[in-house]
Amino acid sequence: MHDVRSVRAPSMLRLAAASLAGTAIEFYDFFVYGTAAALVLGPLFFPTFSPLAGTLAAFGTFAVGFVARPLGSVLFGHIGDRRGRRPVLVASLLLTGAATVAVGCVPTYESIGVAAPVLLLVLRFLQGFGLGGEWGGAVLLTAEHAPAERRGLWSSFPQIGPALGFVLANGVMLALSATLSDAQFAAWGWRVPFWAAGVLALAGLWLRSSLAESPSFLELREHARVPLAEVVRGHWRLVLLTAGGLAVGYAVFYAVTTWALAYGVERLGVSRTVMLSCIMAAVVVKGSLTPLMALLGDRYGRRPLCLVGCAAAAVWMFPMVALLSTGEPLLMFLGFLVALLAFITMFAVIAAYLPELYEPRVRCTGAAVGYNLGGVLGGALTPIVATAVSQGEGVPWGVAAYLTVIALLSLGCFVLLPETRPVPRLAVVPAAD
């Protein structure tokens, strides 16, 4: 039998790097759509709508990706619990990459009429479906190989991937936005980041081709026949609490990276380049501090950091909205940075926390479904609700109130969840319910 404690640091580094690269590529695919939705998809695919309605419709297609993620986590979680974590990584990367490239090829409403937004909706659904499997596979493969005393640290590497994916996606958008005219960007420039996803997907498949299967999966003598049924029957309360706890992280992240981007450009008149630069700088700092937060989780526990992150988010939402409303780059950056630090205080330890909460036979399904349901609650609705409630004159305090309520609800969910550290091996799990 394999002992996860026998995995040496060089092997863990290769495994963690491959998981990080894969999540970076898949989240690049996911984020590039969010940026395009904030900047150009409304007028190109919903030109008969008013500017506000067009933005809301574009964010509606953005939200479909989040709705698809739990469905993807059910299918890929089933594969992960029945066939292994490794196949999930390959299949999810292929699906998400292909759907992203296809988005860049969809003709606009002017060319094919209503078929254009319909195709956009379908491809966004496939993007989210693939991403729903990515997180569970990448995190579990890393967490189940990692030594117990540093599981939080090693498991945090896939959590750095979203920051890298966001910076890469928006870096490409920023370069194109800065070098092309508005007409060129609307005509073809926005498509380039989607086409680049094909090259990134091939690179990710190459990186993952040599990964070893999880030892915890190999040690299972009996696999769950229908993992979702077992999760619903025995862990439903755990799934709901983890989804509710994670909702604030998604809400804060997409309020900063998607709604604030659209609000700053459309309502405050700040240039795309300035808004993208402020947000990207905050995301870079957030990503670089992820391992530090994970180390704190290894030392002090997962749940305490989640509680601190939720409380910090609840306190900071009103100051963040006030700083955004100034339109001053430095102040906006400060507002975004503190919000994202509250976010990563939670999400740096989640990659170790969720696998420790579920028993091995349903771990891939349970952890992935809980994680992605949190995305529906916090990520899918936030850009839509925030755009709708920020239409009046003055500072959009309604957005701050909405985010604060979500933070308090998530705080309550984490209060009800147990601590898991230290868990000597991921084959040994405390009672969840």
Side-chain angles (χ1 to χ4, degrees):
M1 293 180 67
H2 299 266
D3 188 335
V4 289
R5 288 169 292 185
S6 67
V7 179
R8 289 188 279 187
S11 297
M12 278 306 309
L13 187 59
R14 286 193 297 270
L15 176 63
S19 295
L20 185 157
T23 53
I25 292 165
E26 291 231 37
F27 276 91
Y28 165 89
D29 296 347
F30 201 72
F31 290 145
V32 78
Y33 189 101
T35 304
L39 297 179
V40 297
L41 294 187
L44 291 177
F45 289 87
F46 305 95
T48 60
F49 292 12
S50 68
L52 170 60
T55 299
L56 287 170
F59 281 151
T61 62
F62 174 75
V64 166
F66 285 98
V67 175
R69 283 173 65 170
L71 300 177
S73 67
V74 170
L75 174 63
F76 288 111
H78 183 91
I79 296 172
D81 285 324
R82 293 282 298 167
R83 305 296 179 188
R85 321 312 192 196
R86 192 169 172 269
V88 170
L89 299 183
V90 175
S92 62
L93 188 59
L94 277 173
L95 177 58
T96 307
T100 305
V101 172
V103 169
C105 301
V106 175
T108 62
Y109 186 94
E110 185 179 4
S111 300
I112 61 172
V114 71
V118 171
L119 284 172
L120 204 63
L121 198 69
V122 170
L123 292 171
R124 179 58 175 174
F125 180 89
L126 293 176
Q127 257 194 336
F129 198 87
L131 190 61
E134 162 64 27
W135 185 86
V139 163
L140 290 190
L141 204 61
T142 308
E144 290 179 338
H145 275 92
E149 68 276 7
R150 284 291 179 262
R151 187 177 296 127
L153 173 62
W154 290 117
S155 300
S156 74
F157 276 69
Q159 295 295 78
I160 302 172
L164 291 179
F166 179 86
V167 170
L168 183 60
N170 286 276
V172 175
M173 282 287 192
L174 179 59
L176 291 167
S177 180
T179 56
L180 300 177
S181 67
D182 287 345
Q184 289 172 322
F185 186 78
W188 58 268
W190 69 272
R191 298 182 183 272
V192 174
F194 290 92
W195 296 336
V199 177
L200 294 174
L202 292 175
L205 290 172
W206 176 77
L207 283 169
R208 289 180 164 181
S209 62
S210 61
L211 294 181
E213 184 53 80
S214 157
S216 291
F217 177 81
L218 294 175
E219 290 172 4
L220 285 176
R221 293 194 176 95
E222 182 183 355
H223 301 289
R225 294 185 62 185
V226 185
L228 180 62
E230 291 195 23
V231 168
V232 172
R233 184 171 58 250
H235 302 279
W236 62 270
R237 180 175 177 271
L238 179 58
V239 170
L240 293 179
L241 286 176
T242 53
L246 296 176
V248 65
Y250 283 102
V252 168
F253 187 85
Y254 288 102
V256 170
T257 60
T258 303
W259 167 74
L261 176 60
Y263 183 82
V265 172
E266 296 173 6
R267 295 293 305 279
L268 301 179
V270 182
S271 73
R272 284 195 302 261
T273 302
V274 171
M275 287 303 302
L276 284 171
S277 298
C278 290
I279 295 169
M280 284 174 59
V283 171
V284 168
V285 177
K286 183 267 294 185
S288 65
L289 291 177
T290 301
L292 174 61
M293 297 300 181
L295 281 171
L296 292 175
D298 280 330
R299 180 166 184 178
Y300 298 108
R302 326 300 187 201
R303 184 169 169 269
L305 266 73
C306 292
L307 294 173
V308 168
C310 287
V315 169
W316 188 249
M317 291 303 96
F318 278 90
M320 183 195 78
V321 168
L323 292 170
L324 167 64
S325 298
T326 67
E328 294 293 329
L330 188 58
L331 295 179
M332 290 192 297
F333 165 73
L334 176 62
F336 299 153
L337 177 60
V338 177
L340 291 181
L341 291 181
F343 158 81
I344 203 56
T345 301
M346 294 174 276
F347 272 56
V349 299
I350 285 299
Y353 194 19
L354 262 62
E356 290 170 347
L357 286 168
Y358 290 89
E359 60 180 299
R361 55 188 281 118
V362 296
R363 182 173 287 143
C364 197
T365 299
V369 169
Y371 185 84
N372 287 296
L373 275 178
V376 176
L377 298 174
L381 297 178
T382 293
I384 298 172
V385 173
T387 300
V389 303
S390 60
Q391 294 310 303
E393 296 297 325
V395 179
W397 297 121
V399 176
Y402 171 76
L403 294 172
T404 301
V405 169
I406 294 179
L408 293 174
L409 289 174
S410 292
L411 181 66
C413 289
F414 280 120
V415 167
L416 296 175
L417 284 169
E419 178 57 80
T420 58
R421 186 199 65 91
V423 176
R425 300 192 61 190
L426 277 182
V428 181
V429 179
D433 293 308

